Amino acid sequence: MIVILTADIINSRKLSSKKWMNDFKQLLNSFGKSPNDWEIYRGDEFQLEIKNPEDAFLIAFQLKAFFKSINLDVRMSLGFGDKTYKTKKITESNGSAFIRSGELFETLKKQKINLAVNSGNPDFDEEFNLILQLSMSFMDSWLQQSAEFVLVAIQNPTLSQEEIGSMLGINQAAVSRRQKRSQYELLLQVDRYFRKKVKSLEV
């Protein structure tokens, strides 16, 4: 089982891609190689293969934090399943994970939802789409500073608040405030619960 993440950048024209594209590609490179594992197309849409399904939420949260940290946003669908047709380009490959991700992605814009899952398992999808909607109630409201903290914290899970502060150029007290405002601990609880549940998922 793999996960295919299909996404588009919301209101991407608000900010010149020259200011963020290199950093975005660097983030995607931490998850795999282009164009086999990820690909950007039409300028503001992209697709990413997540080989370990347990990582799907944490990767989606990182992408969310990256775009909120530059005052943009992202809409993402997570399709769980297999890859039955593989090519050198992810956008030309196929399988149930691709189909589910694509079908879900087409509905997100109409429903004004920024993150959802489609595993083909109705009970799993109902539970986690509700959890994601509740999570989006605060993630959609992240300010730039909170999102910057979340991105650094996820990517550096062993660092103390003082060490994160050094990376962000702020003191420990400011890090603590950003951590609380971002609901970071709740985000980690969602990730842990998802990892436990996805292990028993059959698609």
Side-chain angles (χ1 to χ4, degrees):
M1 183 172 63
I2 61 167
V3 177
I4 295 297
L5 184 151
T6 305
D8 69 338
I9 302 159
I10 300 170
N11 296 325
S12 60
R13 294 179 183 177
K14 282 177 25 181
L15 188 65
S16 170
S17 59
K18 292 180 181 178
K19 296 184 177 180
W20 54 265
M21 185 60 77
N22 286 339
D23 289 338
F24 178 45
K25 287 181 177 179
Q26 188 174 343
L27 176 59
L28 289 174
N29 277 328
S30 70
F31 307 133
K33 295 180 180 179
S34 178
N36 187 49
D37 300 318
W38 62 266
E39 194 172 357
I40 301 168
Y41 52 97
R42 296 179 188 164
D44 62 357
E45 297 185 16
F46 61 97
Q47 198 163 54
L48 167 68
E49 178 182 337
I50 302 169
K51 291 180 171 59
N52 181 4
E54 292 178 35
D55 294 334
F57 273 24
L58 206 60
I59 287 174
F61 296 159
Q62 285 181 70
L63 291 165
K64 177 80 171 180
F66 172 81
F67 284 105
K68 295 297 283 187
S69 74
I70 56 173
N71 290 318
L72 292 176
D73 207 345
V74 63
R75 183 183 295 111
M76 297 173 282
S77 65
L78 297 169
F80 295 71
D82 56 17
K83 178 163 63 173
T84 53
Y85 180 69
K86 182 177 181 179
T87 70
K88 292 182 179 179
K89 297 180 70 174
I90 184 174
T91 51
E92 296 176 1
S93 299
N94 208 341
S96 60
F98 293 84
I99 294 168
R100 286 169 180 153
S101 183
E103 288 177 347
L104 175 61
F105 185 69
E106 293 302 317
T107 69
L108 293 185
K109 194 176 291 187
K110 298 174 186 176
Q111 297 175 347
K112 296 184 179 180
I113 294 172
N114 288 342
L115 179 59
V117 303
N118 181 0
S119 70
N121 182 314
D123 292 336
F124 181 91
D125 292 349
E126 181 179 17
E127 177 180 5
F128 279 99
N129 282 325
L130 177 58
I131 289 172
L132 287 175
Q133 281 190 52
L134 291 169
S135 300
M136 287 298 112
S137 68
F138 62 84
M139 293 172 71
D140 283 342
S141 302
W142 276 342
L143 298 177
Q144 187 174 3
Q145 292 178 336
S146 294
E148 286 175 346
F149 161 78
V150 171
L151 188 60
V152 170
I154 289 177
Q155 293 175 340
N156 302 275
T158 62
L159 293 189
S160 65
Q161 287 188 347
E162 289 81 1
E163 291 168 325
I164 290 175
S166 295
M167 292 183 70
L168 294 174
I170 57 177
N171 60 31
Q172 182 271 330
V175 172
S176 180
R177 288 194 294 272
R178 292 187 188 187
Q179 182 169 328
K180 289 176 182 176
R181 281 199 298 266
S182 68
Q183 299 274 17
Y184 183 64
E185 293 304 319
L186 183 56
L187 205 64
L188 294 183
Q189 286 183 45
V190 169
D191 176 60
R192 285 194 294 268
Y193 182 65
F194 169 75
R195 287 176 183 273
K196 183 173 71 172
K197 286 290 191 174
V198 81
K199 287 178 182 177
S200 58
L201 176 64
E202 295 181 4
V203 300

